[in-house]
Amino acid sequence: MSREVEIKLFGAFRQYSPEAAIAVSLPESADVATLRRAFADKLEDDNARALLQSSAFATDEAVLGEGDTVPAGARISILPPVCGG
């Protein structure tokens, strides 16, 4: 059984899709590592795939680790690295 998860795009990821989100299909009990691979498959740009490697996935409440299960029904965002001064 699978489910569709919409990933909200922030920062540099916004330039890779005209939409503010990308949807991926995942197994019901998918972890964040599986989400990362599914998201990478949707990206057509090598720079976007490289950016993905240093980006984090998060819900509205927490940043998710690679082994965490993607929560059902949660809003998922991808957060690229940022710098500031």
Side-chain angles (χ1 to χ4, degrees):
M1 187 176 222
S2 66
R3 60 184 165 136
E4 188 159 296
V5 175
E6 185 176 88
I7 303 163
K8 293 180 64 171
L9 306 178
F10 289 94
F13 280 106
R14 294 291 301 269
Q15 69 183 319
Y16 298 114
S17 176
E19 305 298 321
I22 292 176
V24 298
S25 181
L26 295 176
E28 285 295 325
S29 61
D31 61 14
V32 173
T34 303
L35 172 65
R36 188 177 299 277
R37 287 189 298 274
F39 187 77
D41 289 345
K42 295 282 187 165
L43 300 173
E44 297 177 2
D45 185 281
D46 288 337
N47 291 327
R49 284 190 213 95
L51 181 62
L52 173 60
Q53 297 311 311
S54 58
S55 298
F57 289 95
T59 65
D60 288 341
E61 291 81 32
V63 174
L64 302 170
E66 289 298 295
D68 291 343
T69 299
V70 177
R75 293 179 6 167
I76 304 295
S77 300
I78 182 145
L79 308 174
V82 298
C83 64

